[in-house]
Each structure stands twice: as C-alpha cells, then as structure tokens.
Amino acid sequence: DPLTYARGPAGQFPSPMIRHTPSPAARLVSLVSATQSNSVAVQLMAQGGENALSFSVNFDPASATFLSAAIGNGASNAVLNVNTTQAAKGEVGCALALPPGSSFAAGAQQLVILNFSSVSYSNIVGLAFANAPVGQGLADENANTLNTSFQNGTVAVTGSAWPTVTISQSGNGVVVSWPASTTGFNLESATDVTGPWTPV
C-alpha cells in the first residue's frame, strides 16, 4: 500500500506504518495415483526452496504388501533412504534429500513412487501418513522446517478378482465359506436380488 499520512492539530505528520506479514501457506504433500498399477506417488506442491522430505506411510498388511520405493520424476537428482524394518506391520518410512543448496522446482513434483502388491484379491487399500518409523517433515536448503500439510490416499492393488467362495448343503441349510485370510467381505441375504440386503 502507498504511504499515508494522518492530520494532527498542527498539520500533517507521518503516521507509523503497521505491516501485516501473513504466515506462509502450508506446502501440501499428498498420495496420488501413479501411472503404474499397484503404485502410488508421493507428490509435493512445491513453492520453491524445498530441499528435503521425510515421512512414513501406514497400510493394512492383511490387504497389501510393500514391495519397494523409487525416486519420482520430480526428484531425479535426490538421494532416497527407505526404512522397511516395520513393513510387515504395515509401516514404511522414507527420507529424501537433494544435494546441498538445491531445491525442487515450484509446482506439482512427483518425489517418491511406492510400490505394493495384493495379499490375495484386487482391492483399494487406504494409505495414511504417519510419524513412525520415520518422522514427517519438509525442510528448505538451510534445513529450516517448512509449514506442511500431509494428505492421505489410497492405492489400487491387483490380485485375484474375488475370493473363492464355497457353498455346500448341510441338512436343510447351506454352509458358505471363504479363506480366513480374505478380509473385508461380509455375508448378506435378501429375498430378491434387488434387496434390501441384511447381514447374516
């Protein structure tokens, strides 16, 4: 704004300028669909000046298995370290850094590709950012922490189309079963295929 003056009893005098400096908007790190199947990209909406990122991702190990992590096309000259010590429990951590003094270009940058496989059947698996085994954060070229928001996502994993369901007669009824390792399915019944369906 241009400099303004207030009028006093003896004429004009400069008024003190009060400047409001808004806090910088949070950078956004999100999990978005990757071009490869069974994969999800960790994307940074960079504002410029970002140098390093760390995070962990949690997932249901009964639905998906973590395979690997790779550097994305927005971080080709970065170094990536992956912590898989808790992968069997559904927890994977990553730390990614550019060389000193360099930063990611402003805009949407694909930094890391996370690769998964299905445990049994095709499914949509929820992924959540977390602080273990690696704490989440974003830093600039001078290792200053940057205000950052982390947005969870999903990954589509491909496996068998559906679990195998077995139906056998038992007296006047039937027994319906599927493998115990198959999760996320419930048995429901209806008198008509259009419903309503009720849990059994």
Side-chain angles (χ1 to χ4, degrees):
D1 293 337
L3 184 64
T4 57
Y5 293 91
R7 180 174 294 277
Q12 291 185 338
F13 60 90
S15 64
M17 300 271 310
I18 299 175
R19 298 186 182 274
H20 172 68
T21 304
S23 47
R27 273 84 168 171
L28 177 64
V29 176
S30 56
L31 294 163
V32 299
S33 297
T35 54
Q36 311 94 300
S37 59
N38 298 330
S39 300
V40 65
V42 178
Q43 177 181 277
L44 167 67
M45 287 302 298
Q47 298 177 18
E50 302 90 349
N51 174 270
L53 172 70
S54 63
F55 62 89
S56 291
V57 171
N58 291 354
F59 60 93
D60 179 6
S63 300
T65 300
F66 176 76
L67 296 179
S68 64
I71 293 173
N73 56 26
S76 57
N77 58 338
V79 173
L80 174 65
N81 290 309
V82 185
N83 184 326
T84 59
T85 58
Q86 303 298 317
K89 293 171 42 180
E91 301 171 358
V92 174
C94 294
L96 176 87
L98 292 172
S102 57
S103 60
F104 299 110
Q109 301 298 333
Q110 185 188 82
L111 302 188
V112 180
I113 302 292
L114 302 175
N115 302 302
F116 296 85
S117 68
S118 171
V119 170
S120 57
Y121 55 89
S122 296
N123 199 3
I124 303 296
V125 179
L127 303 174
F129 281 112
N131 278 302
V134 175
Q136 57 186 343
L138 183 66
D140 66 13
E141 306 99 317
N142 297 313
N144 296 311
T145 301
L146 298 171
N147 186 19
T148 311
S149 295
F150 288 81
Q151 185 175 42
N152 300 334
T154 60
V155 61
V157 291
T158 56
S160 59
W162 298 103
T164 302
V165 177
T166 303
I167 303 174
S168 60
Q169 188 168 355
S170 176
N172 292 330
V174 294
V175 174
V176 180
S177 63
W178 58 84
S181 60
T182 301
T183 60
F185 290 90
N186 296 306
L187 182 63
E188 297 182 341
S189 68
T191 55
D192 186 278
V193 292
T194 60
W197 291 83
T198 56
V200 173

